[in-house]
Amino acid sequence: MYPTVAEVLALPVVRHGGPRVVAGAGGLDGRVRWVHVAEITDIAHLLKGGELVLTTGIALPDDDLALARYVEELAGVGVTGLVVELVRHWNDELPRALVTAADKHGLPLVTLSRETRYVAVTETVNGLIVDAQVAELRAAEQVHETFTALTVAGAEPHVVLREVARLSGQPVVLETLSHEVLAYDSAGTDPAELLSGWQQRSRGVRIGGRSGYHARAGWLVTIVGARGHDWGRLIVPCPEQPPHRYVVVAERAASALAVHHLLAPDGTSLERQAHRAVLAELLASPATNAELTARASALRVPLAGHLLVGVAIRPRLAGAAQPPAAASALPLLRQLAEATALATRRARVAALVASVDDTSVRALLSLSPQANTDAVLRRLAREVRQARPSVPVVIAVGTGVETAADAGRSLTEAAHIAAAAQQGGDPRRGYHRLDDVRLRGLLHLLGDDDRVTAFAARELGPLLARDAGSGTRLVPALRHFCEHGGNKSAAAAAAHTSRTAYYQQLARIEQVLGVQLEDPESMLSLHVALLVHDVLAQSNDGDRPPE
């Protein structure tokens, strides 16, 4: 908002006097808050700081000590510069004591070789300052209107940060009080550079109040929170002291973020949203970039140089009951995600944790190469169940990988294993790997293959059509037969059907499909087809529907 000393000297009204900097050139970037004409030496106690003092020098002493004291007093109250006219008192040059004192205190000392109308200088510079102040007030009003509208609309954090970047022209980062980056807008700069070494840099920045500028770091910092609960910091990197308008922008944005946090309709924490965004990108593309790696690192989950293990945590459904609809399952998954995040902290495991779909919670563990993976997983599984004891869960683990580019594969594998273990896994296991779910696990991995789908349709198509058309329940009868290894008596008991009626159902199945169920290969093919049918139904509806 305020011009620098150098900018004032560049104005035509000042250049007319032939300005020359004779001392304190390093302070030319100081901001001029006001221009003041003063001829007396005893003036410092009347100034507030930030003034550019103009004098003809006519009342200044020739005594070296008095001149040194004069400069010391001006510098002591924060004067940004001293301009002396070489016309009335001194003609060719200023006294050496005056110049030396100005250099000592870093106070810009400027001479004017020609007589200058100081009233014109003050009118011009002070007019610029007043105009800038008016513009600042108008900008503040715009900021107020902008963030009021965002608050009323319940804008998401990324929208709020985008407005901060637009209004300030600077990058902006929202972090937790433990220095994990929740969201950011790079304002066109390199995101990887913005987030590089974030936690180490952020830990060294402390401010006294709720908003402040940390000059060494070049950060404008504002605390985010409401009702006595502070949960984050909004940081706007600024290379120099920011104008007051930037402070207003940061504070209004912090208020909008605090209100959104209080009223968030889905109850998902900003931390989980940040984790979900990174996990979604790892799942969506095998290619990773420096930005994604930096984002994960800013969440205290290093991807480079670590063993990455995908984990899926899925609520275990009782029996074959119809699963809850996606909308009603979301609150449970959100609670399970928070419980899993708590479990990773208790187990002291660096992990990205979030629900990325409506079936399970995903976690990507970042382990040191020397870590005992099985011991970590056992501890984590125990902590997950203790954190949410009322919800039985299936915990599945993907194959560990060494690069972020392969992390999506480990996460996807874990989800397939969890889905398979949901139906056929041993509930007593702490966690499941691919070799624990055997054929079901393989079929889940191959579930998207059109040839597998076509095989199941060929084997079961006529039977499914018969059930759909006539209301029979031949598919469940076949399932019981296969699950009990062809033992008709056990299958009839499991189906809660008399042996006579059940044997009639089996005969009808053989008639519809044109096969002999006693043939081992036929029973094996049909059992595999049923498992494929379950996988496909689960991928469409979240679990196997009742038949």
Side-chain angles (χ1 to χ4, degrees):
M1 180 171 63
Y2 299 117
T4 64
V5 175
E7 290 169 343
V8 170
L9 297 181
L11 294 173
V13 69
V14 179
R15 289 173 58 191
H16 174 75
R20 186 167 70 92
V21 180
V22 297
L28 290 176
D29 58 350
R31 296 287 175 178
V32 178
R33 187 184 60 81
W34 203 249
V35 176
H36 194 77
V37 180
E39 298 294 350
I40 62 174
T41 57
D42 187 22
I43 187 65
H45 68 284
L46 300 176
L47 303 177
K48 294 182 177 179
E51 294 90 353
L52 179 64
V53 175
L54 310 180
T55 180
T56 64
I58 194 169
L60 296 183
D62 291 312
D63 177 72
D64 288 352
L65 291 178
L67 288 174
R69 185 168 57 252
Y70 170 63
V71 171
E72 181 181 2
E73 290 176 352
L74 292 180
V77 296
V79 166
T80 56
L82 174 63
V83 179
V84 183
E85 199 178 66
L86 292 178
V87 176
R88 290 174 174 80
H89 190 166
W90 298 293
N91 299 111
D92 297 325
E93 61 182 17
L94 297 175
R96 175 52 50 190
L98 190 63
V99 175
T100 301
D103 263 332
K104 176 183 177 182
H105 294 286
L107 179 69
L109 179 60
V110 182
T111 62
L112 297 176
S113 59
R114 290 190 293 271
E115 186 177 32
T116 303
R117 296 180 64 224
Y118 280 170
V119 65
V121 175
T122 58
E123 284 180 349
T124 300
V125 179
N126 292 342
L128 289 174
I129 293 172
V130 170
D131 289 345
Q133 289 174 333
V134 172
E136 191 80 2
L137 289 174
R138 289 174 178 167
E141 183 179 359
Q142 180 190 3
V143 168
H144 173 77
E145 293 175 353
T146 298
F147 286 104
T148 297
L150 291 176
T151 302
V152 171
E156 293 291 328
H158 74 274
V159 177
V160 176
L161 298 193
R162 185 174 63 216
E163 283 302 308
V164 174
R166 182 182 69 83
L167 292 170
S168 67
Q170 303 293 333
V172 57
V173 176
L174 175 64
E175 67 168 14
T176 67
L177 294 180
S178 57
H179 313 293
E180 296 180 13
V181 174
L182 299 175
Y184 70 94
D185 191 302
S186 62
T189 63
D190 182 5
E193 182 178 347
L194 173 66
L195 300 178
S196 177
W198 180 266
Q199 290 175 7
Q200 182 177 359
R201 289 188 289 148
S202 180
R203 278 194 291 266
V205 176
R206 294 287 183 270
I207 58 172
R210 298 201 56 87
S211 292
Y213 181 67
H214 194 281
R216 183 172 56 83
W219 283 5
L220 171 62
V221 181
T222 299
I223 301 297
V224 183
R227 297 180 180 175
H229 173 61
D230 296 332
W231 52 265
R233 301 199 306 177
L234 191 67
I235 297 172
V236 181
C238 302
E240 60 182 21
Q241 181 75 32
H244 180 67
R245 179 167 54 89
Y246 286 16
V247 179
V248 174
V249 168
E251 291 180 344
R252 289 308 311 273
S255 296
L257 291 167
V259 171
H260 176 273
H261 187 259
L262 287 173
L263 304 179
D266 64 356
T268 303
S269 71
L270 290 174
E271 184 180 3
R272 296 283 71 73
Q273 292 179 34
H275 283 220
R276 181 170 57 197
V278 176
L279 287 172
E281 289 196 35
L282 289 171
L283 284 164
S285 173
T288 58
N289 51 44
E291 177 190 353
L292 187 61
T293 302
R295 285 166 57 191
S297 179
L299 289 166
R300 297 203 289 187
V301 183
L303 299 183
H306 285 67
L307 179 66
L308 306 177
V309 180
V311 176
I313 302 96
R314 186 179 180 120
R316 183 180 288 279
L317 302 176
Q322 179 73 17
S328 61
L330 288 178
L332 175 59
L333 288 177
R334 283 196 295 268
Q335 296 167 13
L336 187 56
E338 295 295 345
T340 302
L342 175 62
T344 61
R345 289 192 291 270
R346 287 177 173 173
R348 298 184 179 181
V349 180
L352 296 168
V353 180
S355 57
V356 295
D357 54 33
D358 56 7
T359 63
S360 65
V361 171
R362 307 284 183 92
L364 182 67
L365 311 186
S366 176
L367 308 178
S368 68
Q370 298 77 28
N372 184 331
T373 305
D374 287 333
V376 171
L377 291 170
R378 284 194 299 270
R379 186 167 68 249
L380 177 62
R382 182 173 62 252
E383 292 291 350
V384 168
R385 291 185 169 90
Q386 289 178 354
R388 192 69 181 168
S390 62
V391 180
V393 293
V394 173
I395 300 176
V397 179
T399 304
V401 297
E402 296 181 350
T403 65
D406 294 325
R409 175 166 57 82
S410 182
L411 287 164
T412 300
E413 181 181 296
H416 285 308
I417 296 170
Q422 173 79 19
Q423 296 176 335
D426 184 350
R428 295 170 297 179
R429 281 189 177 274
Y431 59 89
H432 299 268
R433 291 188 178 273
L434 186 58
D435 52 1
D436 297 325
V437 290
R438 308 178 71 183
L439 179 59
R440 287 183 185 272
L442 175 63
L443 294 178
H444 272 273
L445 292 176
L446 299 176
D448 294 332
D449 192 311
D450 291 340
R451 292 168 297 183
V452 175
T453 304
F455 166 77
R458 287 195 306 270
E459 292 291 319
L460 296 178
L463 207 60
L464 291 168
R466 171 63 69 90
D467 279 357
S470 60
T472 55
R473 293 181 54 81
L474 299 181
V475 171
L478 176 62
R479 186 185 305 281
H480 288 301
F481 180 78
C482 294
E483 288 178 349
H484 288 81
N487 186 323
K488 296 180 181 180
S489 299
H496 304 291
T497 306
S498 68
R499 291 186 184 182
T500 301
Y502 185 72
Y503 294 166
Q504 291 175 350
Q505 286 181 316
L506 294 180
R508 197 169 300 118
I509 290 171
E510 290 179 330
Q511 179 184 7
V512 171
L513 296 179
V515 299
Q516 293 294 321
L517 294 181
E518 300 292 342
D519 177 38
E521 184 173 348
S522 294
M523 186 173 70
L524 175 61
S525 294
L526 290 171
H527 195 187
V528 171
L530 285 169
L531 294 178
V532 173
H533 175 63
D534 293 345
V535 169
L536 296 176
Q538 190 172 24
S539 95
N540 289 331
D541 303 321
D543 200 355
R544 187 185 77 202
E547 294 159 333

